[in-house]
Every structure is written in structure tokens, then in C-alpha cells.
Amino acid sequence: MSAPGTTVPSVPAPVPPSSASLPPTLPTPSRALDPGVKTVRGTVSGGVESGCTILTAPGEQYLLLGADPAIAVAGAVVEVTGKADPGAMTTCQQGTPFHVSSTKRG
């Protein structure tokens, strides 16, 4: 409390920064704009080695890495989205390794 007749200095309220002083934001890239991401449709089969899942599409054969096992079953026609990774080390000796980000029935 202050004594009668004295003035208490006021503290100015904080001023929010103006939008001009904020750094610019960059748009978040979508998966569709990510170089190398593609969608492939084909038929699933078991690989020559145990535990390997192969997708055969016209003119292509991919080793599916991370595909939903409930959808990517032998004989199923599926559509997978992801990235091919020809340099990936695997124990499967068939198909181009393909890191799957989504799997759906085709």
C-alpha cells in the first residue's frame, strides 16, 4: 500500500510483437511434393526368402518394407505409397527395396 498523496508508478502492459517482427514461416511440404515418393499398384507375393513380401507391378518388382501385413498378403492387389531405396541392405534377394508409408487394397 502507498501512503496517501503518493503516486505509485504504473508498469506498462507487455505489448505483443507485431506480425512484421515475426520470422516468416515456411510452408510444410506435403508428401506428394517430396522427391522420390511414388504410388505403385500391383499384386503381392511371398519372396523366395522367408519373410519377404514382393509387389509385382507392370515392369517392376519391389520388396515391400513396412507394408501393412493385414493388407499386403499373397495374392492381394494393393496400392502402396513410399520411396524406392535401391541401396538398402536386406536379406531378401529379390525386388527393389521400397519403404512403404501407406498401404491400401487396390
Side-chain angles (χ1 to χ4, degrees), residues 30-100:
S30 71
R31 188 182 317 272
L33 298 177
D34 190 359
V37 171
K38 67 189 223 173
T39 299
V40 182
R41 186 172 189 262
T43 304
V44 177
S45 64
V48 175
E49 290 85 9
S50 177
C52 300
T53 304
I54 305 300
L55 179 74
T56 302
E60 303 171 300
Q61 193 173 58
Y62 292 102
L63 168 64
L64 299 180
L65 304 173
D68 183 337
I71 297 173
V73 295
V77 175
V78 300
E79 188 174 277
V80 295
T81 300
K83 280 186 172 185
D85 185 3
M89 299 287 286
T90 73
T91 58
C92 301
Q93 297 181 28
Q94 161 180 30
T96 301
F98 191 88
H99 296 280
V100 177

Side-chain angles (χ1 to χ4, degrees), residues 2 16 35 88:
S2 58

Side-chain angles (χ1 to χ4, degrees), residues 1-33:
M1 273 183 107
S2 58
T6 59
T7 314
V8 177
S10 63
V11 177
V15 178
S18 71
S19 60
S21 66
L22 296 175
T25 58
L26 298 175
T28 304
S30 71
R31 188 182 317 272
L33 298 177

